[in-house]
Amino acid sequence: MDFSLILVLVTALTGVLWLLDSAIFAPRRRQALQDAQAQAQETLPDAQRKALLRQPGWADTSKSMFPVLLLVLLLRSFLYEPFQIPSGSMLPTLKIGDFILVNKYHYGLRLPVLNTRFVSNNDPQHGDVIVFRYPEDTSVNFIKRVVGVPGDLITYKDKVLYINGVPQQQELLAKLPPSRPEQLLLNETLDEVGHRIYRDLYRPVIDGEWRVPEGNYFVLGDNRDNSKDSRYWGFVPEELLVGKATAVWMHWDGLLSLPDFSDVRRIN
């Protein structure tokens, strides 16, 4: 179910119905009142006047809903949209059950549903956490960290990330659990900005090298050995960007009953 499409259609429908009532049916009701008063040759009682001017249910509902739906559509399409994290691919940065706000205008304004950019703004940078439509199934939303921008040569070797031949610094913070470690908590630095990642000690190494083409981005999950990302399915085209994750505004351990997206859930 494409909630954005449904929201656009319902907003358009209520707007059209409100317009039809205002342009056609409301003048007819006023004319009917004038005709009734002329026939009675006197001012009608308030109850009768109200009955003749009363909007039908569909018109009253449309008039009430359209401004609210339009405001929600504009906010979600061009400003901020809420999502929920249902998977652990971005641990330790984002936890399962985190509710995040995604800035929809940071990378430019896009038409709802079509996702076509009509106003340009910033481009994704190294270290940005982005929400995008999964290239292999655009009905699914993913969230990952940008590690490669157009023109970059990305190398992943022995669980170390190289950008244009330069290894990105990884500082050991902890071994988990301390008694019999299975996982490392590391601080990784991209363009002098640090973020935390997990590395499993016993998961197999996925080595590879990729040149990021123009208009595309290379992304990784912070939970490096438990993330389905660009190492498996390739690049994120610019036209599939949804926005930049900016804040965690709530956490709830119990997942809502929402569409089963693989990486990030839109909050309807």
Side-chain angles (χ1 to χ4, degrees):
M1 181 180 65
D2 190 330
F3 181 77
S4 296
L5 177 60
I6 293 173
L7 181 58
V8 168
L9 292 177
V10 174
T11 303
L13 177 61
T14 55
V16 168
L17 292 177
W18 185 16
L19 182 61
L20 283 174
D21 182 66
S22 300
I24 298 175
F25 298 105
R28 290 181 182 179
R29 292 194 296 270
R30 291 192 293 269
Q31 185 61 50
L33 175 60
Q34 293 177 6
D35 293 345
Q37 290 187 145
Q39 185 175 0
Q41 296 183 349
E42 63 180 10
T43 301
L44 298 177
D46 286 345
Q48 191 173 352
R49 288 169 56 85
K50 290 180 180 179
L52 288 170
L53 292 175
R54 182 178 298 120
Q55 289 181 318
W58 60 267
D60 185 56
T61 300
S62 298
K63 181 179 179 180
S64 301
M65 289 183 60
F66 176 70
V68 177
L69 290 171
L70 181 61
L71 178 61
V72 172
L73 177 63
L74 293 175
L75 287 174
R76 292 176 66 99
S77 300
F78 305 124
L79 295 178
Y80 290 93
E81 186 171 5
F83 289 82
Q84 186 192 31
I85 305 297
S87 78
S89 72
M90 283 298 290
L91 287 168
T93 305
L94 296 173
K95 300 175 178 62
I96 299 173
D98 279 350
F99 289 77
I100 63 172
L101 278 181
V102 173
N103 186 324
K104 299 294 289 287
Y105 62 85
H106 187 79
Y107 300 131
L109 298 180
R110 298 174 182 272
L111 294 175
V113 182
L114 298 176
N115 209 43
T116 303
R117 186 164 66 174
F118 64 93
V119 175
S120 297
N121 200 356
N122 305 293
D123 293 322
Q125 303 297 314
H126 294 131
D128 286 0
V129 177
I130 63 171
V131 172
F132 56 93
R133 297 183 182 186
Y134 179 37
E136 295 187 350
D137 181 359
T138 56
S139 66
V140 174
N141 294 290
F142 267 29
I143 183 167
K144 303 292 180 189
R145 187 179 300 277
V146 175
V147 301
V149 300
D152 280 347
L153 178 65
I154 300 299
T155 305
Y156 198 75
K157 184 177 180 181
D158 297 330
K159 301 191 179 184
V160 176
L161 173 66
Y162 295 75
I163 301 178
N164 299 319
V166 179
Q168 304 304 293
Q169 180 182 351
Q170 293 182 351
E171 177 190 358
L172 178 63
L173 299 178
K175 295 181 179 180
L176 305 172
S179 56
R180 298 181 63 184
E182 297 181 357
Q183 195 174 55
L184 302 180
L185 174 63
L186 304 162
N187 187 76
E188 183 180 69
T189 302
L190 299 178
D191 285 351
E192 301 182 355
V193 177
H195 60 275
R196 295 186 173 189
I197 65 171
Y198 279 146
R199 257 177 43 188
D200 286 6
L201 292 174
Y202 303 110
R203 287 291 182 93
V205 177
I206 301 174
D207 291 341
E209 189 168 83
W210 304 263
R211 175 72 69 178
V212 185
E214 191 65 31
N216 287 265
Y217 299 91
F218 195 90
V219 297
L220 295 177
D222 288 348
N223 195 355
R224 288 291 161 80
D225 297 301
N226 296 278
S227 173
K228 186 178 181 182
D229 48 40
S230 289
R231 293 170 294 177
Y232 297 90
W233 43 257
F235 307 104
V236 179
E238 182 276 332
E239 59 267 20
L240 296 186
L241 295 177
V242 173
K244 180 180 180 180
T246 58
V248 176
W249 56 277
M250 190 177 78
H251 176 83
W252 184 46
D253 290 328
L255 291 178
L256 296 174
S257 179
L258 295 171
D260 187 20
F261 294 159
S262 298
D263 222 38
V264 61
R265 290 173 172 169
R266 176 180 283 110
I267 297 174
N268 295 342

